[in-house]
Amino acid sequence: MHDSLYRVVAGTDTFGDRQQLATAILQDSERATAFGITPENVAEKVDTRSQLLRSFYPAFSEECDRSLQLPAHTLIATLWHLWLPLAMQIAACRQEQSRPLIQGILGGQGMGKTTLAAVLRAISGHLGYRTCSLSIDDLYKTYSDRLILQQQDPRLIWRGPPGTHDVELGLMVLEQLHQPNFDKPIQLPRFDKSAYNGAGDRSTPEEVSNIDIVLFEGWFIGVRPIAPSAFDNAPPPIVTAFDRDFARDMNAKLHDYLPLWAHLDRLIVLYPTDYRYSIAWRQQAERQAIAAGKAGMTDSEIEEFVKYFWRSLHPELFIKPLVEQKSQVDVVIEIMGARSLGRVYRPENI
């Protein structure tokens, strides 16, 4: 498989290589179905994906050497098996409608949603689509507004949970981005997490126009309220009456976000095989930041930080049921313990 992909990149692939690649694609029936690949169209899909890999890889690999630092065989394999077919699918969905497409990306801490959005943006741009990224983090309320919010509800010790975002700002931006042939400049909000000693505040907006695809990512994009009774016997760290009250209140706040989710055309979910991986992944990232001379939290601080988010929207209560709803989710990408890729599937094919 790796040899065939290397020959695709070099432009020396043979008919036998393409047959081998087609056979491998069809053997993973869940992933093939998720990307709309059948025995009837697999040859065409392989040809199209091969051409895209060959044209996109050279410049992209240079950028990845500086940022992702992935070995060549891993980069090529990930492009082939996930990033390219996902970007091609998003582009095909954009072609099917007369207005910009808003693609949601849901992923918890350390899941790689920001990296995925950056790669999809690069591939979409290579395909000729004007693409922008918007994070739920970009919609945080201002520093001063969050100070007032914290006075009103001292439980909101960190930004992030439902209620700490300016939903009206998000609606205004998504409605502008969703308009067909909207050629007037749009001010995309941006958030500087380093402001006010890490408390964060709004920064200079990014001006965009004539956007084709919007990649809207965040840790609870598309998540919907659940029955309050679900918290009666909730999993840890929701263990005390105080925890359960907080979780119920955050659940109720999700109703405010439903108008935002209504603008989503599609939703991708990055789904860990064990949600508890987030602690180790976040600790690893903080250690790397500290080693590079940047500020960072200790392992115990990270654990408490992550558990705070689990108390507000627990993955077992909110994300697990979501990935089983074919009406809400288009593609599920499993993330394994070593951050390697697991299954890729549509919920209806579980």
Side-chain angles (χ1 to χ4, degrees), residues 179-350:
Q179 295 298 316
N181 305 317
F182 194 91
D183 56 0
K184 295 180 181 179
I186 298 170
Q187 302 295 317
L188 288 186
R190 293 302 183 218
F191 191 82
D192 179 5
K193 295 182 180 180
S194 66
Y196 292 100
N197 297 315
D201 201 6
R202 298 263 177 86
S203 60
T204 304
E206 177 186 354
E207 188 174 280
V208 300
S209 59
N210 297 306
I211 293 296
D212 296 307
I213 298 170
V214 182
L215 303 173
F216 187 25
E217 55 94 357
W219 76 281
F220 67 97
I221 296 290
V223 169
R224 297 168 184 275
I226 61 177
S229 59
F231 304 101
D232 294 344
N233 295 290
I238 305 173
V239 294
T240 67
F242 180 88
D243 296 334
R244 288 188 286 274
D245 286 342
F246 179 60
R248 289 190 183 98
D249 289 344
M250 294 301 98
N251 179 57
K253 280 287 184 183
L254 278 178
H255 288 280
D256 297 338
Y257 291 75
L258 295 181
L260 278 178
W261 310 157
H263 284 77
L264 298 177
D265 293 301
R266 305 180 76 250
L267 181 61
I268 297 167
V269 177
L270 300 175
Y271 185 57
T273 52
D274 188 330
Y275 69 89
R276 289 165 291 193
Y277 292 150
S278 290
I279 292 179
W281 290 342
R282 184 60 190 265
Q283 288 172 340
Q284 181 184 34
E286 291 293 312
R287 290 176 198 143
Q288 291 172 346
I290 293 171
K294 300 178 182 178
M297 291 187 278
T298 66
D299 284 358
S300 59
E301 287 172 337
I302 286 293
E303 184 170 351
E304 185 55 37
F305 178 76
V306 174
K307 287 183 177 179
Y308 172 77
F309 284 86
W310 292 348
R311 289 187 186 97
S312 62
L313 296 175
H314 200 290
E316 285 290 292
L317 298 178
F318 290 92
I319 311 301
K320 187 176 182 179
L322 183 66
V323 300
E324 298 172 355
Q325 297 181 23
K326 62 182 180 181
S327 62
Q328 305 294 339
V329 178
D330 297 280
V331 178
V332 179
I333 302 168
E334 281 191 352
I335 310 296
M336 311 291 281
R339 300 201 198 193
S340 58
L341 294 176
R343 298 164 57 209
V344 178
Y345 59 90
R346 287 182 61 87
E348 63 192 30
N349 298 311
I350 294 178

Side-chain angles (χ1 to χ4, degrees), residues 26 78-79 106 125-126 132 146 154 157 162 181 185 197 204 248 281 285 292 294 315 344:
L26 292 176
T78 307
L79 277 167
L106 165 63
H126 185 78
C132 70
R146 281 182 289 113
I157 56 176
N181 305 317
N197 297 315
T204 304
R248 289 190 183 98
W281 290 342
K294 300 178 182 178
V344 178

Side-chain angles (χ1 to χ4, degrees), residues 1-10 17 20-21 24 53 71-78 80-81:
M1 169 68 78
H2 288 312
D3 289 342
S4 294
L5 289 177
Y6 274 114
R7 285 191 287 271
V8 168
V9 170
D17 289 321
Q20 182 185 38
L21 292 171
L53 176 63
H73 68 275
T74 301
L75 180 60
I76 292 173
T78 307
W80 179 261
H81 292 294

